[in-house]
Every structure is written in C-alpha cells, then in structure tokens.
Amino acid sequence: LSTGPDQVQRLLVKLLAAKEMRVANDELMEAIWDQVPGPGATSESLHHLVAAARKRLAEAGLRGVLTNTNGTYSLGVPSSQVDVHIFRTLSAHGRDLARRGDPQAITVLERALALRSGEPLAGLRGQWIAGYRHTLAGELHAAELAFYEIAIRCGQGRERLPSLGVLLRQRPDDELVTWLCMHALYRSGQQAEALAVKRRFSTYLLE
C-alpha cells in the first residue's frame, strides 16, 4: 500500500497501532505534528489528511475502513492483516514456548522474524514515530535473542552460527548476543573460537 506523504503515513501508522480502537483527534494530531498546537496542526489539516488517507485506502481496495465518531477516528483493518500485530502474536507465543523449552518455539519465532523488512518505519520522521520505532526495534531484538537461545538449546548452534555472526557484527557491544555466539561455538566444538569472541568483546568494552 502506497500511503503518500509523510503526514498521511504517520496518520495511518498511528491508527494501525491502535488495533481498530478509536483514537482521539488530539492524540492523532500529536502523532502527526509532534506539537499541538503548532505549525499546521489544525483540525482542518487533519480532515484533509484523513481525506487523502481514505483515497489511498480506497485505491488499495479498503474503502470505508477509516471512520470517525465524536472527535475520534478508527481504522477497521483486522489485526490478523497487520504485520506488526501478527509479529507480536507470534513472538509472544514463541517466547512462551521457548521458556518451556518447547522446540516448536524455533519455528514460531522464525515465522515472526520473517515478517520484518529492514528498519521499522524507515524514512518516517516525528517524535511519536521515533518512539514507536524504538519500541518495535526492541521487540524484534528480544524475539531474535529468544530464537537463538532456544535454537542453541535444541542443538542447532552450528546451523545458526552464520546469522549469529552477522548479528554480533551489528551489535558488538551487546553482551547477550556475545554470550549466544560463544555458547553456539562452544556447543559446536569450537572452544578456541568461543574464547576469541570473549576476548574481542572484552577488548571492545575497554576501547
């Protein structure tokens, strides 16, 4: 779905995050313009954005899903059709299975992580968007950690080493990622490499 200018996208992201619940006009405006009152942050401007959003939604076959009642708006798109909510459902289920040591957690968490596509909300600006992006990134990382931990516990350490290595290069200061990589190496019979990872982490912290 092409949602048009930044402000229309922020409007739709805020409404999608609400999971079909009604969002007050003031809350919507703060998500779109950061400061209310502020430059451009008027009820009239909000109505123009809603009209633009409805047009985009209709072009995508979603006519009539964006409704307003008594100073609130809602977007009638079921959670089962929104990637972020599908991810959260799968992630919560997978982490619960992982806590119980159930190998099915690997498949469930892998399905959850497969839904991501680059940085959450890449290219969108705004204080609310930045906060929501930070929350989503944290949830993604927690799911990653749970995925690798249960995979290693279930004997898949060697198989997961390549992607774990990529994650470690992306997060060289992350103690949990370092520990997982060391654990996977050790359980794969690569004790010297595990110690080397530990030394590199210690050196990194001292720099």
Side-chain angles (χ1 to χ4, degrees):
L1 173 62
S2 175
T3 51
D6 271 8
Q7 291 175 342
V8 174
Q9 293 187 54
R10 288 181 224 167
L11 167 71
L12 292 175
V13 170
K14 179 66 176 179
L15 290 172
L16 285 170
K19 298 178 69 172
E20 298 186 83
M21 294 180 63
R22 297 208 160 271
V23 181
N25 286 5
D26 288 349
E27 190 176 345
L28 268 179
M29 290 167 70
E30 286 178 3
I32 297 166
W33 286 287
D34 292 333
Q35 293 184 340
V36 179
T42 65
S43 296
E44 184 180 0
S45 296
L46 177 61
H47 295 156
H48 284 305
L49 288 177
V50 167
R54 282 175 170 152
K55 180 180 178 181
R56 296 282 181 174
L57 290 165
E59 290 170 354
L62 297 172
R63 188 179 300 277
V65 296
L66 177 49
T67 60
N68 64 298
T69 305
N70 299 325
T72 66
Y73 284 93
S74 66
L75 188 58
V77 177
S79 297
S80 59
Q81 297 178 20
V82 181
D83 282 355
V84 66
H85 300 314
I86 299 170
F87 163 78
R88 284 174 161 168
T89 299
L90 289 171
S91 178
H93 180 46
R95 292 172 70 184
D96 182 59
L97 290 171
R99 281 190 290 269
R100 292 187 268 129
D102 190 330
Q104 291 185 42
I106 299 171
T107 300
V108 175
L109 288 168
E110 202 162 27
R111 285 174 57 203
L113 291 168
L115 291 168
R116 65 182 165 183
S117 178
E119 180 188 25
L121 308 174
L124 285 183
R125 300 166 295 170
Q127 294 175 11
W128 181 84
I129 287 289
Y132 191 41
R133 179 186 294 116
H134 180 75
T135 297
L136 294 177
E139 292 176 8
L140 282 164
H141 188 48
E144 279 184 319
L145 295 175
F147 167 71
Y148 284 116
E149 184 176 8
I150 188 64
I152 293 167
R153 283 164 58 191
C154 291
Q156 295 186 12
R158 185 182 296 276
E159 177 184 343
R160 304 299 175 179
L161 274 172
S163 55
L164 250 180
V166 172
L167 184 60
L168 182 60
R169 287 191 291 276
Q170 294 170 344
R171 293 176 173 266
D173 60 342
D174 192 314
E175 186 174 4
L176 288 175
V177 173
T178 300
W179 181 86
L180 286 168
C181 196
M182 289 172 54
H183 196 42
L185 286 165
Y186 185 83
R187 293 189 62 159
S188 301
Q190 302 179 58
Q191 287 82 1
E193 288 83 354
L195 289 172
V197 168
K198 181 180 180 181
R199 284 194 296 271
R200 284 196 297 271
F201 180 70
S202 299
T203 301
Y204 182 87
L205 291 181
L206 292 173
E207 290 178 349

